[in-house]
Amino acid sequence: MSENVARRGFLIGGLGGAALLAAGCTSNEPSAAPTSEAAPAATQAAAGGNDEPGTKVTIGFSAPAADHGWIAAIAKNAEATAQQYSDIEFKPVEPTNDINQQISAVESLIAAKVDALVILPNDGEQLNQIALRASEAGIPVVNLDRIFPDKLAYRTWIGGDNYGMGVAAGHYIGTALKEKNVSNPVIVEIQGIATLPLTQDRSKGFADALKTYGFSVTAQQDAQFTVETGNEVATSLLQAHSKIDAMWNHDDDQGIGVLAAISEAGRDEFIMVGGAGSANAMRAIKDDNTVLKATVTYSPTMASSAIKIARLIAQGKGMSDLVENQVPQSITLASETITKENVEQYLPLGFES
């Protein structure tokens, strides 16, 4: 393991937005054109100096099992991006939704003395100690999406803007209802996993944005990021409220079940906003034949960027579009609102639920 592997970065990044995805990482892009679900076109640009083969590095990768489309796209993006570099040996471990099994899998990567680790934990708090152990062993950890509470547990965090998702959804709904002169609206919210900090951030952003219009959430229930539970929760909310003005569903994967419940109930009096930016949701928005009128992005392309970042850190490089010599400590991607007006631009980036 080179001495660069043990380097610690203390540059605090507040670099947010898709602009960083499209600019901060662009000069590190190889010329090979990836597929829409694996490091899609938004991350492509002319190759720069960091693309030249460097020191051979082994990057370990651990993520939950692909039980829905977003997680499946995460794994595909990571693997496809690693394969584009001749100087990366990609070492994924078996994906699992069992906390103890993921801890054991990461332990095996630490024992293998990989040069960098990319970890999307099932639960950041519960895997914090194993990430700390990796960092203490001199292995830089790129924390993907679900964050470890201890900053010493990771070298760089990269993920979506969960609070920003809620803000984007809240502004879309608030603006639409104000334009219709709706007062005292019934607004329902279908969360993912309520106990996760990311879900709580999404809900806070939503509530804060709605407040600027004088609105608030009428009812809130979590659906565990699954199609089945999405269907059950939506059915329950529809039965509990004879009239709804707007609905925000945090996750487009579970949104398949939500839309099915809405269709079965024959309800169309409200507007719905989705979350994450699945291809399924975007096609529905484009066709404009359901209550789903918008979705706010939380792109799995972050996994592609995580692999690129791990490679740069392990090789002792910075991001060549930035002045600083090291990769930032934190990278937050912006949440953008996809509507019928701009959906064509985003369709190539969608993942299949």
Side-chain angles (χ1 to χ4, degrees):
M1 188 181 301
S2 70
E3 63 179 4
N4 288 325
V5 170
R7 290 174 60 180
R8 292 287 183 271
F10 298 99
L11 174 66
I12 305 299
L15 297 175
L20 185 57
L21 181 62
C25 292
T26 52
S27 63
N28 303 321
E29 284 283 351
S31 57
T35 64
S36 62
E37 281 203 0
T43 65
Q44 297 178 32
N50 280 340
D51 282 330
E52 297 299 322
T55 305
K56 185 85 172 182
V57 294
T58 301
I59 298 176
F61 178 77
S62 176
D67 55 2
H68 60 287
W70 190 87
I71 289 288
I74 283 283
K76 289 178 184 177
N77 281 329
E79 182 175 6
T81 299
Q83 289 176 350
Q84 293 170 23
Y85 291 96
S86 61
D87 54 13
I88 290 180
E89 179 185 345
F90 187 56
K91 196 175 181 67
V93 291
E94 188 70 25
T96 177
N97 290 329
D98 182 279
I99 296 293
N100 292 324
Q101 287 181 12
Q102 188 173 24
I103 290 172
S104 296
V106 174
E107 285 176 335
S108 73
L109 292 171
I110 295 172
K113 298 182 178 179
V114 296
D115 297 303
L117 268 170
V118 175
I119 306 175
L120 196 168
N122 276 284
D123 184 293
E125 186 169 346
Q126 293 189 62
L127 269 86
N128 187 71
Q129 287 302 313
I130 191 63
L132 267 174
R133 195 184 311 170
S135 296
E136 290 166 357
I139 301 173
V141 173
V142 176
N143 182 192
L144 179 57
D145 188 35
R146 300 172 187 175
I147 196 166
F148 298 120
D150 191 336
K151 286 192 174 183
L152 293 177
Y154 59 91
R155 164 59 179 81
T156 292
W157 173 84
I158 179 169
D161 185 355
N162 288 291
Y163 181 83
M165 283 182 75
V167 169
H171 280 312
Y172 182 88
I173 287 173
T175 299
L177 296 181
K178 282 293 186 183
E179 288 176 351
K180 295 179 180 179
N181 295 314
V182 177
S183 59
N184 300 316
V186 175
I187 301 173
V188 299
E189 178 184 1
I190 302 180
Q191 302 171 307
I193 299 173
T195 56
L196 290 178
L198 65 86
T199 297
Q200 294 157 16
D201 285 345
R202 292 178 187 186
S203 291
K204 186 175 190 314
F206 189 52
D208 287 351
L210 289 177
K211 193 181 302 180
T212 66
Y213 299 89
F215 301 152
S216 61
V217 174
T218 307
Q220 179 190 81
Q221 199 168 338
D222 71 306
Q224 302 294 310
F225 292 129
T226 71
V227 173
E228 294 77 16
T229 311
N231 186 273
E232 294 169 5
V233 168
T235 298
S236 174
L237 287 169
L238 291 167
Q239 290 173 347
H241 302 278
S242 59
K243 183 180 181 298
I244 294 173
D245 294 290
M247 174 185 290
W248 182 38
N249 165 57
H250 284 207
D251 179 70
D252 287 333
D253 282 319
Q254 71 185 21
I256 293 175
V258 173
L259 283 172
I262 294 168
S263 176
E264 185 175 347
R267 301 280 291 271
D268 63 1
E269 79 278 6
F270 57 91
I271 59 170
M272 173 177 159
V273 176
S278 76
N280 311 61
M282 284 191 255
R283 286 192 291 266
I285 291 166
K286 180 182 177 180
D287 293 342
D288 197 20
N289 56 9
T290 71
V291 297
L292 183 63
K293 303 303 177 185
T295 186
V296 291
T297 61
Y298 197 82
S299 178
T301 58
M302 65 180 72
S304 297
S305 294
I307 294 296
K308 295 172 182 295
I309 289 165
R311 171 181 175 265
L312 294 178
I313 293 170
Q315 292 179 341
K317 298 176 181 177
M319 298 170 75
S320 57
D321 287 339
L322 303 183
V323 174
E324 290 76 19
N325 292 327
Q326 296 187 29
V327 170
Q329 190 268 346
S330 177
I331 300 172
T332 304
L333 310 183
S335 185
E336 303 167 74
T337 304
I338 302 173
T339 66
K340 186 178 180 181
E341 286 68 35
N342 64 5
V343 67
E344 291 286 358
Q345 175 186 348
Y346 290 93
L347 264 171
L349 310 182
F351 59 94
E352 296 293 339
S353 291

